[in-house]
Amino acid sequence: MRTRIAAGNWKMNLTAQEAEALATALVSNLADYQGSAKMILSPPFPYLSQIVAATASKSDLISVAAQNVHQEAKGAYTGDTAASMIASVGATHVIIGHSERRTYYQESNALLASKIDIALANGLTPIYCIGETLDQREAGQTLDVIRAQVEEGSFHLSDAQFAEVIVAYEPVWAIGTGKTATPDQAQEVHAFIRGLISDKYGASIADDTTILYGGSVKPANANELFAQADIDGGLVGGASLKADAFTAIIEALG
Ligand code: PGA
């Protein structure tokens, strides 16, 4: 059975105090949560350990993710953060290949493959992000772009390694724009991704892989997105910055 997940990507938002207040409010909102979905919070680096501590009483339900990781184990990389450091403060997941990093920092599929490797080697679960731009969608290239991102970024992994990966499909044109892919548009790509995984790793691993949708997920559209057969939750930016909205999103997962 794949896990259904509401993952909040706080990006470069919130002070330490605001982040702690948000995490505390979520823990309180989820005090009586009986559903089977899980929540992941991805704060800025300086507060990783603080958010691990703030959610510790609900660690069965809430995990903490870094927003990026360096591909090397350690060394002279001023300003960067190693996978072992992320793991050492109790975070368990890491977002890899978010479109903002692909765009602003020119992160390639090959680089992201090595980031996935170092994450896995340190026991971190990669949340591997893929998605097409508007130009690519309008040119009819969506599925080719997705195929290349999935294959080049993650198909070097063994079966056991791939089974640890969470995939996040985030059409770039839907991120932070208020434009959401329709449930049918998202489902089409999710089913395609699951098919690629099935062809490579077999139906069982494909069936167990959590594939999140990201791009302007909010309480008002979460139900219809999460009702799709191959959408197993959301990677949520803006709506994860408000405790009540993000609580409604995990509740939409059941
Ligand atoms: P958004 O961001 O929900 O604000 O569109 C999603 C993401 O970038 O992960």
Side-chain angles (χ1 to χ4, degrees):
M1 260 296 278
R2 51 200 194 237
T3 311
R4 287 161 72 78
I5 297 172
N9 175 9
W10 294 352
K11 307 191 182 182
M12 198 172 74
N13 293 296
L14 308 174
T15 62
Q17 293 74 20
E18 290 165 344
E20 170 121 15
L22 176 54
T24 303
L26 287 166
V27 167
S28 151
N29 283 358
L30 295 175
D32 299 321
Y33 177 73
Q34 298 292 337
S36 58
K38 302 290 182 196
M39 179 176 279
I40 299 173
L41 302 180
S42 192
F45 274 108
Y47 333 137
L48 273 180
S49 58
Q50 191 182 342
I51 300 307
V52 169
T55 55
S57 65
K58 276 275 169 199
S59 60
D60 53 330
L61 175 60
I62 304 177
S63 303
V64 177
Q67 296 177 16
N68 180 35
V69 64
H70 195 272
Q71 67 275 17
E72 299 295 339
K74 64 176 184 172
Y77 299 99
T78 301
D80 271 309
T81 308
S84 60
M85 299 171 185
I86 296 167
S88 74
V89 296
T92 51
H93 293 64
V94 56
I95 298 172
I96 292 179
H98 190 280
S99 68
E100 287 149 16
R101 295 211 59 91
R102 290 179 184 266
T103 303
Y104 304 141
Y105 302 94
Q106 287 77 45
E107 294 194 349
S108 66
N109 293 330
L111 173 71
L112 299 172
S114 57
K115 291 191 176 203
I116 290 177
D117 289 342
I118 199 99
L120 289 170
N122 285 276
L124 296 172
T125 300
I127 303 171
Y128 179 47
C129 302
I130 56 178
E132 82 286 1
T133 63
L134 185 59
D135 284 352
Q136 290 166 334
R137 175 163 282 266
E138 288 178 343
Q141 296 166 348
T142 297
L143 300 184
D144 290 339
V145 169
I146 296 298
R147 177 193 295 275
Q149 291 173 333
V150 171
E151 289 182 352
E152 294 169 20
S154 64
F155 276 8
H156 63 291
L157 299 173
S158 68
D159 289 16
Q161 288 174 319
F162 192 87
E164 299 299 317
V165 174
I166 296 169
V167 177
Y169 168 59
E170 301 202 297
V172 178
W173 47 273
I175 294 176
T177 57
K179 282 188 204 145
T180 317
T182 65
D184 286 349
Q185 281 175 323
Q187 167 59 23
E188 180 197 8
V189 180
H190 279 239
F192 176 73
I193 295 165
R194 204 177 300 284
L196 293 174
I197 299 168
S198 182
D199 289 347
K200 170 79 177 170
Y201 293 105
S204 167
I205 287 179
D207 200 45
D208 283 348
T209 301
T210 297
I211 308 178
L212 306 177
Y213 168 79
S216 300
V217 176
K218 44 190 181 259
N221 59 26
N223 277 316
E224 55 176 7
L225 287 164
F226 299 162
Q228 301 301 311
D230 290 294
I231 300 183
D232 308 315
L235 179 55
V236 185
S240 75
L241 296 170
K242 297 264 183 286
D244 289 350
F246 199 43
T247 303
I249 287 171
I250 192 174
E251 284 171 346
L253 284 166

